[in-house]
């Protein structure tokens, strides 16, 4: 990836006055006094102490500790984005993530990121990313058209195989793809299911280029074969049928909630609306569901849905209510270049959760992305990654934007004004051409 060869950007020294008193050196104990700390259900006033990049017990505090007064500001876990393709190993990309408080992310499909790129994400001063590398799909399936027509305009599709995507049209191809992904040190596997109920009608048809996925009959084998290589599989699911196949196959995550995106029609509600049995099955399986619900407004957030908008919002809201009511694990993700706040504020506008319930999802996403680490918590031994907000997000969800301090690995991260940073290279920067959707009832662009 070319990003590792770009010149490093100097970190700006611009920061709010509160941050200026919060500097940390290795081994130093810092006490953050009088903050409203997130408890998992709300906020409570307490003091926090950090040392060596972790939360430590207040019993370790002595007269040498430095004190930072928070004066009632709100202390919350750093944010996570469970579905972003913007995760590239470049300093200015990292600045953008850290500036919006996103310390943790999943990149569930990219062109191959080499070892030096993974090393970039392992630094304490960059955001953390788990990589799927290229996704597994069928010939002519999503996201082949996006890579071929948008990001790699002058590149033949064949040159993308083994890099940005892998074919899985047979068990032999699935095994070869998984061996390649293991060699590329993928953290998990991304595979594509789109309109599985119409796979035979769509596969191999030019008008459905990029609008189908792998043969759903191969999904169970893929999961089992990945497991033998120590890998878990997350599926892109477009419709309810896709989701059911993914759950039955043993997926550990679903990268999209049905009715999430531009390809939605109220003529076929059975494609999108979860049942109580579905929600119960998802919860019992432990499979995590990534929202990306804000994509209903298109990649740039400006799609005019007209009279369809209220109907799609209603389906999204009910799907979320069912998932929450049955105890399913919900993660926040964007899939596009928008800030995580855009997705969260869209979720809040659906009125599917009480404010504290939505915040529990937001603040719990990071720990789900890296389950082997102690993040998103404020007990001794937890990693000292947190944000200090100027407002109460329980009262106003937009207060998630009011970040006054960013602490990662026990050290402050300075804010870098976005206007000073170049745009992040992205393989899905422009929507592919609209397709004639004979079977789903609408045309439109499609995301990853």
């Amino acid at each position: 990836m070319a990003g590792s060869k770009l010149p490093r950007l100097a970190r700006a020294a611009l920061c709010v006055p509160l941050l200026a008193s919060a500097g940390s050196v290795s081994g130093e104990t810092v006490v953050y006094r009088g903050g409203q700390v997130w408890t998992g259900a709300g906020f409570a006033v307490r003091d926090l102490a950090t040392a060596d990049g972790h939360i430590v017990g207040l019993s370790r505090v002595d007269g040498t500790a430095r004190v930072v007064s928070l004066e009632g500001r709100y202390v919350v876990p750093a944010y996570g984005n469970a579905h972003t393709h913007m995760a590239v190993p470049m300093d200015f990309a990292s600045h953008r993530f850290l500036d919006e408080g996103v310390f943790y992310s999943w990149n569930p499909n990219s062109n191959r990121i080499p070892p030096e790129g993974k090393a970039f994400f392992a630094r304490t001063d960059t955001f953390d990313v788990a990589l799927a590398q290229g996704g597994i799909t069928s010939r002519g399936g999503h996201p082949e058209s996006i890579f071929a027509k948008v990001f790699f305009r002058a590149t033949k599709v064949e040159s993308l195989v083994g890099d940005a995507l892998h074919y899985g049209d047979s068990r032999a191809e699935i095994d070869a793809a998984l061996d390649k992904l293991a060699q590329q040190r993928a953290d998990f596997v991304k595979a594509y299911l789109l309109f599985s109920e119409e796979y035979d009608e769509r596969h191999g048809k030019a008008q459905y280029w990029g609008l189908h996925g792998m043969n759903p009959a191969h999904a169970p084998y893929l999961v089992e074969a990945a497991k033998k290589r120590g890998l878990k599989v997350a599926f892109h699911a477009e419709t309810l049928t896709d989701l059911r196949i993914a759950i039955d196959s043993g997926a550990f995550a679903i990268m999209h909630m049905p009715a999430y995106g531009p390809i939605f029609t109220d003529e076929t509600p059975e494609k999108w609306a979860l049942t109580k049995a579905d929600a119960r099955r998802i919860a019992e399986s432990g499979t995590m569901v990534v929202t990306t619900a804000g994509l209903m407004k298109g990649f740039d957030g400006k799609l005019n849905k007209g009279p369809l908008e209220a109907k799609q919002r209603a389906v999204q809201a009910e799907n979320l209510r069912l998932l929450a009511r049955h105890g399913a694990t919900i993660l926040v993700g964007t899939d596009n270049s928008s800030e995580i706040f855009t997705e969260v504020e869209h979720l809040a506008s659906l009125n599917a959760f009480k404010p504290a319930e939505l915040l529990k999802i937001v603040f719990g996403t990071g720990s789900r992305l890296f389950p082997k680490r102690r993040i998103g918590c404020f007990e001794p031994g937890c990693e000292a990654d947190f944000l200090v907000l100027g407002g109460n997000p329980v009262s106003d969800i937009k207060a998630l934007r009011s970040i006054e301090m960013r602490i990662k690995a026990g050290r402050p991260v300075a804010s870098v004004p976005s206007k000073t940073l170049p745009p992040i290279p992205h393989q899905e920067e422009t929507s592919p051409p609209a397709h004639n959707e004979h079977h789903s009832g609408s045309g439109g662009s499609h995301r990853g």
Side-chain angles (χ1 to χ4, degrees), residues 87-421:
V88 293
M90 302 178 186
D91 274 341
F92 60 86
S94 187
H95 283 308
R96 290 182 183 274
F97 276 82
L98 297 176
D99 197 57
E100 67 174 276
V102 173
F103 290 6
Y104 324 105
S105 67
W106 280 346
N107 184 343
N109 203 128
S110 64
N111 51 311
R112 182 184 68 87
I113 294 179
E116 57 266 30
K118 289 181 70 82
F120 173 91
F121 297 126
R123 288 166 26 190
T124 58
D125 63 336
T126 60
F127 69 122
D128 302 335
V129 183
L131 298 164
Q133 305 286 20
I136 297 178
T137 189
S138 180
R139 283 169 176 76
H142 185 67
E144 181 182 282
S145 60
I146 292 177
F147 278 110
K149 283 193 169 186
V150 180
F151 189 52
F152 299 105
R153 286 182 175 87
T155 302
K156 293 182 179 180
V157 170
E158 290 77 14
S159 68
L160 305 177
V161 180
D163 178 15
L165 59 88
H166 306 266
Y167 290 137
D169 287 319
S170 67
R171 290 190 172 191
E173 284 191 338
I174 288 171
D175 284 329
L178 291 172
D179 287 341
K180 174 70 75 170
L181 289 169
Q183 179 186 359
Q184 295 173 353
R185 295 171 57 196
D187 297 302
F188 62 99
V189 174
K190 169 75 171 294
Y192 291 88
L193 294 172
L194 288 87
F195 301 99
S196 294
E197 64 274 19
E198 301 169 11
Y199 176 78
D200 291 335
E201 300 170 52
R202 290 172 177 257
H203 184 245
K205 309 295 194 305
Q207 68 267 36
Y208 292 120
W209 187 28
L211 286 169
H212 65 81
M214 65 181 296
N215 187 335
H218 293 320
Y221 179 80
L222 169 62
V223 173
E224 285 303 312
K227 187 183 301 183
K228 292 177 181 178
R229 294 164 172 83
L231 293 167
K232 296 181 179 180
V233 180
F235 282 99
H236 172 120
E238 193 72 27
T239 65
L240 185 56
T241 299
D242 299 330
L243 182 145
R244 287 170 174 168
I245 291 170
I247 296 297
D248 290 343
S249 299
F252 89 102
I254 305 294
M255 292 293 176
H256 297 300
M257 178 185 68
Y260 75 93
I263 301 178
F264 170 85
T265 173
D266 59 341
E267 297 173 6
T268 52
E270 67 277 4
K271 284 184 181 291
W272 325 106
L274 297 175
T275 67
K276 293 180 181 178
D278 290 321
R280 187 180 306 111
R281 176 78 177 90
I282 293 168
E284 291 173 350
S285 70
T287 306
M288 298 175 282
V289 179
V290 183
T291 57
T292 68
L295 280 180
M296 67 171 284
K297 296 295 288 181
F299 182 73
D300 60 3
K302 298 178 181 179
L303 180 64
N304 182 5
K305 302 288 288 187
L308 193 62
E309 180 164 342
K311 295 180 179 180
Q312 188 170 0
R313 285 173 58 86
V315 174
Q316 286 188 352
E318 185 57 22
N319 282 349
L320 289 167
R321 288 190 193 101
L322 284 172
L323 290 171
R325 192 176 303 148
H326 288 85
T329 300
I330 303 171
L331 306 181
V332 177
T334 61
D335 189 24
N336 61 8
S337 57
S338 66
E339 296 177 321
I340 198 68
F341 313 120
T342 304
E343 176 69 14
V344 176
E345 288 163 13
H346 174 78
L347 296 176
S349 75
L350 297 174
N351 295 315
F353 311 103
K354 295 178 180 178
E357 292 174 335
L358 177 55
L359 290 176
K360 190 172 183 179
I361 293 170
V362 175
F363 299 147
T365 294
S367 62
R368 300 285 186 176
L369 303 187
F370 294 92
K372 294 182 180 180
R373 295 165 53 185
R374 293 193 65 190
I375 56 181
C377 53
F378 295 106
E379 304 307 318
C382 296
E383 294 183 34
D385 292 359
F386 58 87
L387 309 172
V388 177
L389 308 180
N392 184 351
V394 175
S395 304
D396 181 3
I397 198 67
K398 290 185 178 180
L400 292 174
R401 296 176 179 265
S402 65
I403 304 173
E404 297 187 3
M405 185 187 299
R406 301 157 183 81
I407 303 297
K408 189 173 193 298
R411 298 188 178 190
V413 177
S415 176
V416 178
S418 60
K419 64 182 180 181
T420 68
L421 300 175

